[in-house]
Amino acid sequence: MIVPDAPRERRIARPDAILRGEEVGAGPTFLLLHAGGERRRVWGPVSEVLVDAGYRCVAFDQRGHGDSGGSARTLSAYADDVAAMVHAEPPASVVVGASLGGLAATAALTDPAVRARVAGLVLVDVVPCLDPARVRGFLASVGPLGAHTELVEDILSQVSRLRQVTTELDLPLLLVHGDDGSSVTDEDIDQLLHLAPHTTVRPVQGAGHLIARDQPVALAQAVIAATTAWR
């Protein structure tokens, strides 16, 4: 017998990588996509709250991170991975993407077949309307870009595409952002609401860019409150 709250290993074979992850809980599904430089375990405290509320959580180490293989150079590679994850889950999953995870999810939703299997998108402290100079400055302030420069520049080259996808998105959309230390500004929020007026915006007090680390309970509660009606 499977214990509902016991993590189960997950594995997805991609053409150039093996993605490794885990699932926990039983019920409607949240697919949790971590930020660049993180690992799936960052979602542990968030998953505990979601599972206690009757949900199932699935989280993978993204390519080039943790236990997963593959190179971390292009947004399209991450987006293709997200599409594979979505297709491996039941219909009406809610995708929750932090930073890089949110951008990869947005890019994946270009495909109508992916959109058809998703109940909604939660962006965690990231917006598709990125300002290149400010992004580079923010990333430089938190650490050297180093090996991530190629990926960052690839993402910034696709801002127009991400904006267009968001404009055409016919799914519920939630933005959860931090306050002090957040990468999201009031101008970013205004631009997102211009692209997708149906977006719900939820601030989390006492959180910076990595809300899953700073305020996991508040993040989970914000997600539950906003997405209950999506399925």
Side-chain angles (χ1 to χ4, degrees), residues 35-220:
E38 290 282 2
R39 300 179 64 168
R40 67 180 187 266
R41 64 188 178 194
V42 73
W43 293 112
V46 177
S47 294
E48 288 181 11
V49 178
L50 296 175
V51 169
D52 285 346
Y55 294 96
R56 172 176 170 267
C57 297
V58 179
F60 285 87
D61 287 334
Q62 296 203 66
R63 64 171 47 238
H65 294 73
D67 297 326
S68 292
S71 61
R73 297 179 180 177
T74 66
L75 181 62
S76 62
Y78 285 99
D80 289 346
D81 290 345
V82 172
M85 295 174 195
V86 168
H87 283 294
E89 299 307 321
S93 297
V94 170
V95 180
V96 181
S99 196
L100 171 61
L103 297 174
T106 302
L109 290 169
T110 303
D111 184 349
V114 176
R115 290 200 304 274
R117 298 185 64 84
V118 172
L121 173 63
V122 179
L123 297 174
V124 182
D125 213 67
V126 70
V127 293
C129 35
L130 302 169
D131 177 85
R134 190 152 50 79
V135 168
R136 294 187 187 102
F138 175 81
L139 292 175
S141 72
V142 298
L145 292 179
H148 302 294
T149 302
E150 185 175 355
L151 174 60
V152 170
E153 293 305 317
D154 181 74
I155 290 172
L156 293 177
S157 73
Q158 298 191 52
V159 170
S160 294
R161 176 192 174 205
L162 293 169
R163 291 173 60 94
Q164 186 64 33
V165 172
T166 305
T167 300
E168 298 171 352
L169 199 61
D170 55 356
L171 295 172
L173 183 61
L174 167 67
L175 170 66
V176 182
H177 66 91
D179 49 12
D180 186 34
S182 169
S183 66
V184 175
T185 66
D186 290 342
E187 181 182 354
D188 290 331
I189 295 171
D190 289 342
Q191 289 191 47
L192 177 59
L193 290 172
H194 177 73
L195 295 175
H198 61 284
T199 302
T200 301
V201 179
R202 292 285 184 268
V204 174
Q205 302 300 315
H209 182 54
L210 300 176
I211 304 177
R213 284 187 177 272
D214 296 339
Q215 295 289 347
V217 174
L219 173 57

